[in-house]
Amino acid sequence: MHATQPTESTALMSRLFAKGNWLLLLLVFVPIALLMEYAFHSSALWIFLASSAAIIPLAALMGRATEQLAERLGEGVGGLLNATFGNAAELIIAIVALRAGLFDLVKASITGSIIGNILLVFGASALWGGIKYPNQKFNSTAAGLSSTLLVLSAAALVIPAIFHMVVPATAGSAERTLSVEIAVVLIITYILSLVFTLRTHKHLYVGEAGPHTDELMPTTSTGKSIGLLLAATAGVAVMSELLVGAVEETAQVFGMNEVFVGVILVALIGNAAEHSSAILMASKNKMDAAITIAVGSSIQVALFVAPVLVFLSYFIAPQPMDLRFTTLEVVAVGISVWIMPIIAQDGESHWMEGVQLLAVYAILALAFYWLPTPG
Amino acid sequence: MHATQPTESTALMSRLFAKGNWLLLLLVFVPIALLMEYAFHSSALWIFLASSAAIIPLAALMGRATEQLAERLGEGVGGLLNATFGNAAELIIAIVALRAGLFDLVKASITGSIIGNILLVFGASALWGGIKYPNQKFNSTAAGLSSTLLVLSAAALVIPAIFHMVVPATAGSAERTLSVEIAVVLIITYILSLVFTLRTHKHLYVGEAGPHTDELMPTTSTGKSIGLLLAATAGVAVMSELLVGAVEETAQVFGMNEVFVGVILVALIGNAAEHSSAILMASKNKMDAAITIAVGSSIQVALFVAPVLVFLSYFIAPQPMDLRFTTLEVVAVGISVWIMPIIAQDGESHWMEGVQLLAVYAILALAFYWLPTPG
Amino acid sequence: MHATQPTESTALMSRLFAKGNWLLLLLVFVPIALLMEYAFHSSALWIFLASSAAIIPLAALMGRATEQLAERLGEGVGGLLNATFGNAAELIIAIVALRAGLFDLVKASITGSIIGNILLVFGASALWGGIKYPNQKFNSTAAGLSSTLLVLSAAALVIPAIFHMVVPATAGSAERTLSVEIAVVLIITYILSLVFTLRTHKHLYVGEAGPHTDELMPTTSTGKSIGLLLAATAGVAVMSELLVGAVEETAQVFGMNEVFVGVILVALIGNAAEHSSAILMASKNKMDAAITIAVGSSIQVALFVAPVLVFLSYFIAPQPMDLRFTTLEVVAVGISVWIMPIIAQDGESHWMEGVQLLAVYAILALAFYWLPTPG
C-alpha cells in the first residue's frame, strides 16, 4: 500500500517471529542435528535433544501441508488424507523404532500419545483457556460422541495386556495371533469410523476442528503443498533415525527406562504440534476445536497407528510385535479414557479441571519414571 | 370375511412364516435333537448344534407365555412373574450345568449374559436401527437409571474374584462364605429393585419396554398360556440336558475352553430371544425398548440368576459353587458396564456406536477363545 | 415470655434432647472411657467402644466450632479454616495411629473415609431422603464438577499401589520417593482447588452446603468458639490415644484384620458427624448439601489428609509411610469414585440408588472382613 516494501528476508523473519510461527524457528535444529551426528559425532544426549527439537516444526509442517492438500482435494479424499496423515510424525518415529526392534519404545509411544493427548494436551488447553475465560463451553454431544469412541478404542487396545496377565505361560504364539486379530478389528473399526465422520454423519463434525494450524504459514499451491509434505516427511524420517539411534544411550545416561522415554518424551515430541494447536484454540475460547484435536488424535493412534504398526512389524521388524502393553500403561490409558467422558459430559471446562488433568499426568509420569530400568 | 377359509395347517404355516415368527421354525430341532441323542447316538457336535437350535424358539415361547400370563395377572403379580421368569431359559441351562458340576460353564454363562446383552444385543440393535435411522433417540433418564443399577450390580458381582486375586491362599471356606453373603445382598437388592420398578416408581418404566415379543403369537387364554409355559419350560429343560451333555466333547473337538463356550456360545443360545426382540424394536426406532431388554436382562442375571445359582448349588450340585469369576470375565464385565452409561447419557445412538460395541465384543470373544484349555 | 424460666440444667437437658442434638449425649462416654482406661483398666474391647462413642460428639463439636469461627473470619480465612479443619477428627486419629506405626490402619482409614463418604453417607442420604421424597433433585453441574475432582483425586491416589503391583521387587526407596512426590502433587492440587472454590469460582459453591451442623448448638462468641475448638480437639486427641491403644487387641478378639478395622470401623467413627449431617440434609430434601458433604469430605481426605500424613510420617512415625494401598482398597476406591459421576450426572436420586450404594458398601465390607489376619 505504501512505498517501502520490506525485503524478502525481512518478510521471512517477521513471519517467523509472528504469533504462532515460533515453532518454525526450531527448524534450525535440522542442520544442527545433522552436523552433530555426522560432522562432530556429538554425544547421544545432544543428538537426542537436537533431533527432538527438529522434529517438532517438521511435524507441524507435515500437518499444515496435509491440511492444505486436504482442503484442495475436497471432503472425501481430503478427509481421508487428513485421517491418514494426521499422526504421520508419530507413525514415522514409531516405524523407525520398530525397524530397530525397540518394541517397548514403540508401544510406549502409542500409549503415551493417548494419555498425552488427553491429560497433557487437553489439560493444558483447559488450564490456559480457563485462565483467560472463567467458564469455557463446548458442544457436549460431539465431545461425548468422541469420548465414547475413545473409550471403546482404548478398551479394545488393553485386552491383549490383560490376556497376558491372565495367561502368563503361553507368552508365545497365541498372544501374537490375538494381537493381529485385534489389529484387524481395530482397523475395520477405523475404516467404518471414517465412513461415519466423513460420510453418513459428517454434519456432526462440520466446522468443529477448523484449520487448526492456520497461523503457521500462508496458503500455497497444490504443487508446493505436495513438495512441502514430501520434504517434511523426509525430514521427520531422517531426524527420527537420529532420535531413535540416540534414545537408548540417552536413557542410560539419565537412568531412565525405555517405557518412560516412549510414554513421556517421544510422545511429547511427536505430539508437540497438536499441543501448540490445541492450546492456541483454547486461548481463543474454541474449546470444541481443542477437544477435537486432543481426542481425535488419541482415537487415531488407537484405531489406526497401533494396528498399522502391528501389521508392519511382520515385514520390517526383526520379529513380529504384539499389542501387549505393560500394566502401568494399561492403568494409565484406563484412567485417561475414564476421565474424558466425565470431563466432557457437562459441556464446560474450568482451569481447575486443567490443573487436575495435569496433576494426573504428572503423577503418571513420576510412576513411569521410577519404573526400574531393565539392566 | 370371505368364503374360503384357510385350513388350520395353512394358517399355522403362514403364521410361522410371518414376520417375526421365523424363530418358531427352529422348533423342528426339538425332535431332531431327541432323535440324534436317543435313536442315532450322533456325535456330540451334532447334538450340541441341534439342541442349541431347539432352545432358541423354546426360550422365545417361554418369554411369550410369561408375558401373556403377566398381562392377565395384573401389574403386581404379573410384574413379579415377568421379573422371575424373564431369564428362565438361561436359568434352566445353568441349573442343568450346575447339577453336572460344570461350574466354569455356569459362571461363564452368567458373565456371558451380561456382556452379551450389552455389547452384542444393544450393539446389534444400535447398528441395525442406526442403518435405517441416522439418529435414534431414547429417554436418557430411564436409560441412565438402568445403567446405574447395572454398574452397581456388576460391581458387587466382581468383588469375589478380586478377593480371590488378593488372597490366593485361602481358596477355601472364606471365599464360599463370602459368595453366599454377597448372594444374599444381591437377592435383597433384587427384591428391593422390584419394589422400586413395580411399586414406588413404576411410572418411570410405564410403556417403556412394551410387549417385546408380540409378533410371535396371537393372544391366547390363561389356560393355554400356562400350558405353553409348562411345555416350553419342560422342552428347555430336556434340550438343556442334551446341550450340557454334549458341551464338553464339542469343546474338545474344536479345542475351545469351557469359559469360551459358556461366555459366548451358551450365553448366545440362552439370550437369542432377547437378541431378536431388541433388534426388532431398534428397527422400529423404539430404542427405549431395545435398551430396556438389553440392560434389564443383564441386571436380572446379575441380581437374580447369579445368587439363585449360588443358593441352589448347596442342594443340587456336587459341591457348593462360589461367585469367583476368572480375571478375563471380570475385565469383560467391567468394560461392558463401564461403556453402558457413557452410551446412554446423551440419549441418542448412531450406527457407529453399534459398530464399536460389536468390535469390543469381537475382541473379547477372541481373547476368550485363545484362553488355554485346561487339559 | 412467661413467668417460670427453666433452670440452667433443665435448659441444657432440653437442648441435649432436642432434635439433632442427640449426638451430644454421647459426650458422657468421654469420662467413661477415661475411667475405663485409667481407673478400671477395662479390657481393650470396652475401651475401644467407649472411646469410639466419645469421639463422635467431639468430632461434631469440632466441626461446629470450626464453622462458627469460619463464619466470623469471613470468606477467605474462614473458608481456609473450614477446608483445613473439616476433617480434623480423622486427621487426629490418623496422626495418633501414625505415631504408633500402625500404617495399615492409617491408610485404611484414608480409603475408608473415601468409600464411606460416597457409598455409606450418600447412600444412606439417598435412601433416607428417598423414602420421604420419591424424587430428589440436585444441581447436576456442581455435583458433576465435584465428582470430576473426586475421580481425579482418587486416580492419583491409587497410582502407588499399582506401581507396587507392577514392581514388587523394589519395595524400598523408589516407592517412598514416589509417594512423597505424589503427595506434593496432591497438596499443590489441593491448594489450587481452594483458590478455585474460595476465590475464582466461589459463585458455583455459594449456598450449596449450608451450615450443616446448625442444629447442634446455638451461636456463641468467637472466644467461646476458639475455646470449644481447642477443647474438642484435645478431647479427640485423648480419645484417639485410647482408641488406637485398644484397636489391635480388639481386632484380635474378634478375629478382624487391621485393614477392616481401619476401612470400616475407624472411618465410621471419624465420619459419624458427616453421616448425621448429610442424612439430616437429605431428610430436608437438600440433596445438594448432602452431596457436598459426602463428596467434599472425600476430596479433602484424598487431596489434603493423605499427603499431610505422608509428610508427617517423616517426623513423628517410626519410619516413613508410603501411599501404597492394598489391592482391595484400590478396587473399593475405584468402584466408589466410578459410581459417583454416574449417580450425579442425571441430577436426581431415588431411594433405590441409596439401596444400591449401601449394597455395594455391604459387599465391600464383607470382603474386607474376610481378608486374612496377618498372624
Side-chain angles (χ1 to χ4, degrees), chain A residues 81-123:
Chain A
L81 189 77
N82 237 333
T84 320
F85 276 80
N87 282 295
E90 283 101 315
L91 190 57
I92 293 168
I93 302 173
I95 287 172
V96 172
L98 195 65
R99 269 179 47 204
L102 300 172
F103 291 166
D104 284 350
L105 188 72
V106 172
K107 290 188 274 186
S109 76
I110 293 172
T111 48
S113 279
I114 296 173
I115 69 170
N117 273 302
I118 296 169
L119 300 177
L120 186 58
V121 175
F122 186 66

Short mmCIF file of all heavy atoms in Angstrom, two decimals, chain A residues 81-123:
data_model
loop_
_atom_site.label_atom_id
_atom_site.label_comp_id
_atom_site.label_asym_id
_atom_site.label_seq_id
_atom_site.Cartn_x
_atom_site.Cartn_y
_atom_site.Cartn_z
N LEU A 81 -7.19 -38.21 3.56
CA LEU A 81 -5.78 -37.83 3.68
C LEU A 81 -5.49 -37.33 5.07
O LEU A 81 -4.51 -37.74 5.73
CB LEU A 81 -5.49 -36.73 2.65
CG LEU A 81 -4.02 -36.36 2.50
CD1 LEU A 81 -3.30 -37.42 1.68
CD2 LEU A 81 -3.88 -35.00 1.84
N ASN A 82 -6.36 -36.44 5.57
CA ASN A 82 -6.19 -35.89 6.91
C ASN A 82 -6.19 -37.00 7.94
O ASN A 82 -5.39 -37.01 8.87
CB ASN A 82 -7.36 -34.95 7.21
CG ASN A 82 -6.87 -33.57 7.56
OD1 ASN A 82 -5.75 -33.42 8.07
ND2 ASN A 82 -7.68 -32.56 7.32
N ALA A 83 -7.13 -37.95 7.76
CA ALA A 83 -7.26 -39.03 8.74
C ALA A 83 -6.03 -39.92 8.73
O ALA A 83 -5.64 -40.47 9.76
CB ALA A 83 -8.51 -39.84 8.43
N THR A 84 -5.41 -40.06 7.55
CA THR A 84 -4.28 -41.00 7.44
C THR A 84 -2.97 -40.34 7.86
O THR A 84 -2.12 -40.97 8.48
CB THR A 84 -4.17 -41.51 5.99
OG1 THR A 84 -5.47 -41.75 5.49
CG2 THR A 84 -3.34 -42.76 5.93
N PHE A 85 -2.78 -39.07 7.47
CA PHE A 85 -1.51 -38.41 7.74
C PHE A 85 -1.54 -37.54 9.00
O PHE A 85 -0.56 -36.91 9.32
CB PHE A 85 -1.09 -37.55 6.53
CG PHE A 85 -0.38 -38.33 5.49
CD1 PHE A 85 -1.07 -39.11 4.58
CD2 PHE A 85 1.02 -38.33 5.43
CE1 PHE A 85 -0.41 -39.85 3.63
CE2 PHE A 85 1.68 -39.07 4.49
CZ PHE A 85 0.97 -39.84 3.57
N GLY A 86 -2.68 -37.51 9.67
CA GLY A 86 -2.81 -36.63 10.83
C GLY A 86 -1.79 -36.92 11.91
O GLY A 86 -1.30 -36.02 12.58
N ASN A 87 -1.47 -38.18 12.09
CA ASN A 87 -0.46 -38.53 13.08
C ASN A 87 0.76 -39.15 12.42
O ASN A 87 1.40 -40.03 12.98
CB ASN A 87 -1.05 -39.51 14.11
CG ASN A 87 -1.92 -38.80 15.13
OD1 ASN A 87 -1.43 -38.00 15.90
ND2 ASN A 87 -3.21 -39.08 15.10
N ALA A 88 1.08 -38.64 11.21
CA ALA A 88 2.16 -39.25 10.44
C ALA A 88 3.50 -39.15 11.17
O ALA A 88 4.32 -40.07 11.10
CB ALA A 88 2.25 -38.61 9.06
N ALA A 89 3.74 -38.06 11.89
CA ALA A 89 5.01 -37.90 12.58
C ALA A 89 5.20 -39.01 13.62
O ALA A 89 6.25 -39.66 13.66
CB ALA A 89 5.08 -36.52 13.25
N GLU A 90 4.17 -39.24 14.44
CA GLU A 90 4.26 -40.34 15.41
C GLU A 90 4.51 -41.65 14.69
O GLU A 90 5.30 -42.48 15.14
CB GLU A 90 2.93 -40.50 16.19
CG GLU A 90 2.67 -39.51 17.27
CD GLU A 90 1.70 -38.46 16.81
OE1 GLU A 90 1.89 -37.96 15.67
OE2 GLU A 90 0.78 -38.12 17.55
N LEU A 91 3.78 -41.83 13.58
CA LEU A 91 3.88 -43.09 12.85
C LEU A 91 5.31 -43.30 12.34
O LEU A 91 5.86 -44.40 12.45
CB LEU A 91 2.88 -43.08 11.68
CG LEU A 91 2.67 -44.40 10.94
CD1 LEU A 91 2.24 -45.50 11.89
CD2 LEU A 91 1.61 -44.24 9.85
N ILE A 92 5.90 -42.23 11.79
CA ILE A 92 7.26 -42.37 11.24
C ILE A 92 8.26 -42.69 12.36
O ILE A 92 9.09 -43.60 12.23
CB ILE A 92 7.67 -41.08 10.48
CG1 ILE A 92 6.80 -40.93 9.22
CG2 ILE A 92 9.14 -41.13 10.11
CD1 ILE A 92 6.93 -39.58 8.58
N ILE A 93 8.18 -41.94 13.46
CA ILE A 93 9.09 -42.24 14.58
C ILE A 93 8.92 -43.69 15.00
O ILE A 93 9.90 -44.42 15.21
CB ILE A 93 8.82 -41.31 15.78
CG1 ILE A 93 8.97 -39.84 15.38
CG2 ILE A 93 9.76 -41.64 16.94
CD1 ILE A 93 8.56 -38.87 16.47
N ALA A 94 7.66 -44.12 15.11
CA ALA A 94 7.39 -45.48 15.58
C ALA A 94 7.92 -46.51 14.59
O ALA A 94 8.47 -47.55 14.98
CB ALA A 94 5.90 -45.67 15.81
N ILE A 95 7.80 -46.21 13.29
CA ILE A 95 8.29 -47.16 12.28
C ILE A 95 9.80 -47.31 12.38
O ILE A 95 10.34 -48.43 12.31
CB ILE A 95 7.87 -46.69 10.86
CG1 ILE A 95 6.37 -46.93 10.66
CG2 ILE A 95 8.67 -47.42 9.79
CD1 ILE A 95 5.81 -46.35 9.38
N VAL A 96 10.50 -46.18 12.56
CA VAL A 96 11.96 -46.25 12.69
C VAL A 96 12.34 -47.08 13.92
O VAL A 96 13.24 -47.93 13.86
CB VAL A 96 12.55 -44.82 12.78
CG1 VAL A 96 14.03 -44.88 13.11
CG2 VAL A 96 12.32 -44.08 11.47
N ALA A 97 11.62 -46.86 15.03
CA ALA A 97 11.89 -47.63 16.24
C ALA A 97 11.53 -49.10 16.06
O ALA A 97 12.19 -49.99 16.60
CB ALA A 97 11.13 -47.04 17.42
N LEU A 98 10.49 -49.34 15.28
CA LEU A 98 10.05 -50.71 15.00
C LEU A 98 11.15 -51.47 14.25
O LEU A 98 11.46 -52.62 14.58
CB LEU A 98 8.77 -50.65 14.15
CG LEU A 98 7.90 -51.89 14.01
CD1 LEU A 98 7.30 -52.27 15.35
CD2 LEU A 98 6.77 -51.60 13.03
N ARG A 99 11.71 -50.81 13.24
CA ARG A 99 12.79 -51.43 12.47
C ARG A 99 13.97 -51.76 13.36
O ARG A 99 14.66 -52.77 13.15
CB ARG A 99 13.23 -50.51 11.34
CG ARG A 99 12.46 -50.76 10.04
CD ARG A 99 12.89 -49.82 8.95
NE ARG A 99 14.33 -49.71 8.84
CZ ARG A 99 14.96 -48.65 8.33
NH1 ARG A 99 14.26 -47.62 7.90
NH2 ARG A 99 16.27 -48.64 8.24
N ALA A 100 14.23 -50.90 14.35
CA ALA A 100 15.34 -51.15 15.27
C ALA A 100 14.97 -52.18 16.34
O ALA A 100 15.80 -52.50 17.19
CB ALA A 100 15.76 -49.83 15.93
N GLY A 101 13.73 -52.67 16.29
CA GLY A 101 13.32 -53.70 17.25
C GLY A 101 13.05 -53.17 18.65
O GLY A 101 12.95 -53.95 19.60
N LEU A 102 12.91 -51.85 18.79
CA LEU A 102 12.66 -51.26 20.12
C LEU A 102 11.15 -51.31 20.41
O LEU A 102 10.48 -50.27 20.49
CB LEU A 102 13.17 -49.82 20.16
CG LEU A 102 14.66 -49.65 19.90
CD1 LEU A 102 14.99 -48.17 19.76
CD2 LEU A 102 15.47 -50.27 21.02
N PHE A 103 10.61 -52.51 20.64
CA PHE A 103 9.16 -52.68 20.76
C PHE A 103 8.59 -51.97 21.98
O PHE A 103 7.49 -51.40 21.93
CB PHE A 103 8.83 -54.17 20.82
CG PHE A 103 9.07 -54.89 19.53
CD1 PHE A 103 9.09 -56.27 19.48
CD2 PHE A 103 9.26 -54.18 18.34
CE1 PHE A 103 9.30 -56.94 18.29
CE2 PHE A 103 9.48 -54.84 17.14
CZ PHE A 103 9.50 -56.23 17.12
N ASP A 104 9.32 -52.00 23.11
CA ASP A 104 8.82 -51.30 24.30
C ASP A 104 8.64 -49.82 24.02
O ASP A 104 7.66 -49.21 24.45
CB ASP A 104 9.79 -51.49 25.48
CG ASP A 104 9.67 -52.87 26.08
OD1 ASP A 104 8.72 -53.60 25.72
OD2 ASP A 104 10.51 -53.23 26.92
N LEU A 105 9.61 -49.26 23.27
CA LEU A 105 9.54 -47.85 22.94
C LEU A 105 8.35 -47.57 22.01
O LEU A 105 7.62 -46.59 22.20
CB LEU A 105 10.85 -47.43 22.26
CG LEU A 105 11.04 -45.94 21.99
CD1 LEU A 105 11.31 -45.22 23.29
CD2 LEU A 105 12.20 -45.72 21.02
N VAL A 106 8.16 -48.43 21.01
CA VAL A 106 7.07 -48.24 20.05
C VAL A 106 5.73 -48.27 20.78
O VAL A 106 4.89 -47.37 20.63
CB VAL A 106 7.10 -49.35 18.97
CG1 VAL A 106 5.86 -49.26 18.10
CG2 VAL A 106 8.35 -49.23 18.14
N LYS A 107 5.55 -49.33 21.59
CA LYS A 107 4.27 -49.45 22.29
C LYS A 107 4.08 -48.33 23.29
O LYS A 107 2.98 -47.79 23.45
CB LYS A 107 4.18 -50.83 22.96
CG LYS A 107 4.03 -51.95 21.95
CD LYS A 107 3.75 -53.27 22.59
CE LYS A 107 5.04 -53.97 22.99
NZ LYS A 107 4.81 -55.34 23.51
N ALA A 108 5.18 -47.93 23.95
CA ALA A 108 5.08 -46.83 24.91
C ALA A 108 4.71 -45.53 24.21
O ALA A 108 3.97 -44.70 24.76
CB ALA A 108 6.39 -46.68 25.68
N SER A 109 5.19 -45.35 22.96
CA SER A 109 4.83 -44.11 22.26
C SER A 109 3.35 -44.11 21.88
O SER A 109 2.72 -43.05 21.78
CB SER A 109 5.72 -43.91 21.04
OG SER A 109 5.33 -44.75 19.99
N ILE A 110 2.77 -45.32 21.66
CA ILE A 110 1.33 -45.40 21.39
C ILE A 110 0.53 -44.98 22.62
O ILE A 110 -0.33 -44.10 22.56
CB ILE A 110 0.94 -46.84 20.96
CG1 ILE A 110 1.56 -47.18 19.60
CG2 ILE A 110 -0.58 -46.99 20.90
CD1 ILE A 110 1.39 -48.64 19.20
N THR A 111 0.80 -45.62 23.75
CA THR A 111 0.06 -45.24 24.96
C THR A 111 0.37 -43.81 25.37
O THR A 111 -0.51 -43.10 25.85
CB THR A 111 0.37 -46.20 26.13
OG1 THR A 111 1.77 -46.35 26.24
CG2 THR A 111 -0.27 -47.53 25.93
N GLY A 112 1.63 -43.41 25.18
CA GLY A 112 1.99 -42.03 25.54
C GLY A 112 1.22 -41.02 24.72
O GLY A 112 0.84 -39.96 25.22
N SER A 113 0.96 -41.33 23.44
CA SER A 113 0.15 -40.42 22.62
C SER A 113 -1.26 -40.31 23.17
O SER A 113 -1.83 -39.22 23.22
CB SER A 113 0.07 -40.94 21.18
OG SER A 113 1.23 -40.60 20.47
N ILE A 114 -1.82 -41.45 23.58
CA ILE A 114 -3.21 -41.43 24.06
C ILE A 114 -3.31 -40.66 25.36
O ILE A 114 -4.13 -39.74 25.49
CB ILE A 114 -3.73 -42.88 24.22
CG1 ILE A 114 -3.77 -43.57 22.85
CG2 ILE A 114 -5.10 -42.90 24.87
CD1 ILE A 114 -4.10 -45.04 22.90
N ILE A 115 -2.47 -41.00 26.34
CA ILE A 115 -2.60 -40.30 27.62
C ILE A 115 -2.12 -38.85 27.51
O ILE A 115 -2.68 -37.96 28.13
CB ILE A 115 -1.89 -41.03 28.78
CG1 ILE A 115 -0.37 -40.99 28.64
CG2 ILE A 115 -2.37 -42.45 28.93
CD1 ILE A 115 0.35 -41.50 29.88
N GLY A 116 -1.09 -38.62 26.66
CA GLY A 116 -0.59 -37.26 26.50
C GLY A 116 -1.63 -36.35 25.88
O GLY A 116 -1.81 -35.20 26.31
N ASN A 117 -2.32 -36.85 24.86
CA ASN A 117 -3.33 -36.02 24.21
C ASN A 117 -4.47 -35.66 25.16
O ASN A 117 -4.98 -34.54 25.14
CB ASN A 117 -3.90 -36.74 22.98
CG ASN A 117 -3.07 -36.49 21.75
OD1 ASN A 117 -2.88 -35.35 21.35
ND2 ASN A 117 -2.55 -37.54 21.15
N ILE A 118 -4.88 -36.61 25.99
CA ILE A 118 -6.00 -36.35 26.88
C ILE A 118 -5.57 -35.52 28.08
O ILE A 118 -6.12 -34.46 28.36
CB ILE A 118 -6.63 -37.68 27.34
CG1 ILE A 118 -7.22 -38.41 26.13
CG2 ILE A 118 -7.71 -37.43 28.38
CD1 ILE A 118 -7.63 -39.81 26.44
N LEU A 119 -4.56 -36.02 28.79
CA LEU A 119 -4.22 -35.38 30.06
C LEU A 119 -3.40 -34.11 29.85
O LEU A 119 -3.67 -33.08 30.48
CB LEU A 119 -3.44 -36.36 30.95
CG LEU A 119 -4.16 -37.65 31.34
CD1 LEU A 119 -3.24 -38.54 32.15
CD2 LEU A 119 -5.42 -37.34 32.15
N LEU A 120 -2.38 -34.19 28.98
CA LEU A 120 -1.47 -33.05 28.84
C LEU A 120 -2.05 -32.02 27.86
O LEU A 120 -2.18 -30.84 28.19
CB LEU A 120 -0.11 -33.55 28.36
CG LEU A 120 1.01 -32.52 28.29
CD1 LEU A 120 1.23 -31.86 29.64
CD2 LEU A 120 2.29 -33.16 27.80
N VAL A 121 -2.40 -32.46 26.64
CA VAL A 121 -2.89 -31.52 25.64
C VAL A 121 -4.21 -30.88 26.10
O VAL A 121 -4.34 -29.66 26.17
CB VAL A 121 -3.10 -32.21 24.26
CG1 VAL A 121 -3.71 -31.24 23.27
CG2 VAL A 121 -1.78 -32.73 23.75
N PHE A 122 -5.19 -31.71 26.45
CA PHE A 122 -6.45 -31.11 26.85
C PHE A 122 -6.35 -30.45 28.22
O PHE A 122 -6.97 -29.41 28.46
CB PHE A 122 -7.59 -32.13 26.83
CG PHE A 122 -8.92 -31.50 27.10
CD1 PHE A 122 -9.44 -30.61 26.19
CD2 PHE A 122 -9.61 -31.75 28.28
CE1 PHE A 122 -10.65 -29.97 26.44
CE2 PHE A 122 -10.81 -31.12 28.53
CZ PHE A 122 -11.34 -30.23 27.61
N GLY A 123 -5.53 -31.02 29.11
CA GLY A 123 -5.33 -30.40 30.43
C GLY A 123 -4.72 -29.01 30.29
O GLY A 123 -5.21 -28.04 30.88
#
